[in-house]
Amino acid sequence: MKKTNDPIEKLFENFENQWDIQELPHHHQERFLTKQKSRNQTKSTWYQISIAASILLLVGLFFLLNKNEPTNDFKLASAETQRTDSVFSAMVQNELLQIKEKKSPLNEKIVNDALKQMQQMDADYEKIKRELVENGENKQIIYAMIHNFKTRIEFLENVLKQIDNTEKLNTTNHEKTI
């Protein structure tokens, strides 16, 4: 062997006779490819099962959500009555959402009391809707429906004001103690 000054060559000379030169068994590549193919088929099967399960889950959720959607009791009502119900219902839901978002240990009692009172007002509204379906549209029922919505919205706005006042009072008291 030649002696060189190249550091890489010296490194290889130092490791001479220490290299793993054992050959792989005769059918190693075939066995490896067979195992790889088997793994790919298993992954493919699980992939297909997971897609099928996801589709079933989505279909189930779709039917569950559609089943729980309130039915439109205003099928026989005029388009104007349906729009009025839709607009006012959205306003009530918006106010309720704001109250629920502001719920904290400080105002929990106010929120819980408000939700109980809202249940009673909702029950009253359901009675009005049943009367509308049974008796058809008339001014008295429409006025009762609108009055119920206005009462609920005003009530929820007052609850929001109470929550805000409670938070401001607590913040002010907290700042004074600091």
Side-chain angles (χ1 to χ4, degrees):
M1 276 204 179
K2 291 184 189 176
K3 296 279 184 177
T4 62
N5 289 336
D6 186 18
I8 294 179
E9 288 294 325
K10 285 183 180 180
L11 181 68
F12 278 105
E13 286 176 11
N14 289 338
F15 287 113
E16 195 170 330
N17 297 327
Q18 294 181 13
W19 299 105
D20 184 12
I21 56 172
Q22 183 180 6
E23 289 188 29
L24 295 173
H26 177 60
H27 295 290
H28 175 75
Q29 184 176 7
E30 291 172 11
R31 286 192 324 242
F32 175 79
L33 292 175
T34 303
K35 284 182 183 180
Q36 188 67 25
K37 186 176 180 182
S38 172
R39 285 187 187 131
N40 287 344
Q41 286 176 343
T42 303
K43 286 180 185 178
S44 175
T45 302
W46 280 109
Y47 182 71
Q48 291 171 351
I49 290 172
S50 65
I51 288 175
S54 298
I55 290 171
L56 285 174
L57 180 66
L58 290 174
V59 168
L61 284 174
F62 174 77
F63 283 115
L64 180 68
L65 292 176
N66 279 343
K67 184 178 181 182
N68 289 339
E69 268 186 23
T71 57
N72 187 2
D73 292 332
F74 296 123
K75 290 179 183 171
L76 302 175
S78 68
E80 187 175 329
T81 302
Q82 290 177 4
R83 278 194 304 270
T84 302
D85 176 68
S86 177
V87 169
F88 278 116
S89 291
M91 291 171 70
V92 168
Q93 290 304 318
N94 184 37
E95 297 291 325
L96 271 173
L97 182 64
Q98 288 180 26
I99 288 173
K100 288 177 182 178
E101 286 176 350
K102 289 188 175 202
K103 185 176 183 178
S104 70
L106 179 66
N107 60 31
E108 185 173 10
K109 184 169 176 32
I110 295 171
V111 172
N112 289 339
D113 289 343
L115 293 176
K116 285 179 186 175
Q117 290 183 24
M118 280 301 295
Q119 286 177 343
Q120 180 59 45
M121 288 186 241
D122 288 342
D124 292 342
Y125 185 68
E126 290 301 317
K127 289 177 189 175
I128 294 170
K129 285 184 357 182
R130 277 194 302 274
E131 202 167 313
L132 179 70
V133 170
E134 290 172 7
N135 301 327
E137 280 189 49
N138 65 47
K139 285 184 181 182
Q140 215 174 12
I141 293 175
I142 301 301
Y143 288 142
M145 182 180 91
I146 293 172
H147 179 71
N148 179 279
F149 274 125
K150 285 183 178 180
T151 303
R152 288 192 282 172
I153 291 169
E154 288 172 3
F155 171 74
L156 292 172
E157 287 174 346
N158 286 334
V159 171
L160 281 171
K161 286 178 186 175
Q162 282 183 337
I163 290 171
D164 289 340
N165 289 339
T166 304
E167 288 175 352
K168 285 178 187 175
L169 182 64
N170 186 47
T171 304
T172 305
N173 287 340
H174 182 68
E175 288 174 356
K176 287 180 181 177
T177 58
I178 293 180

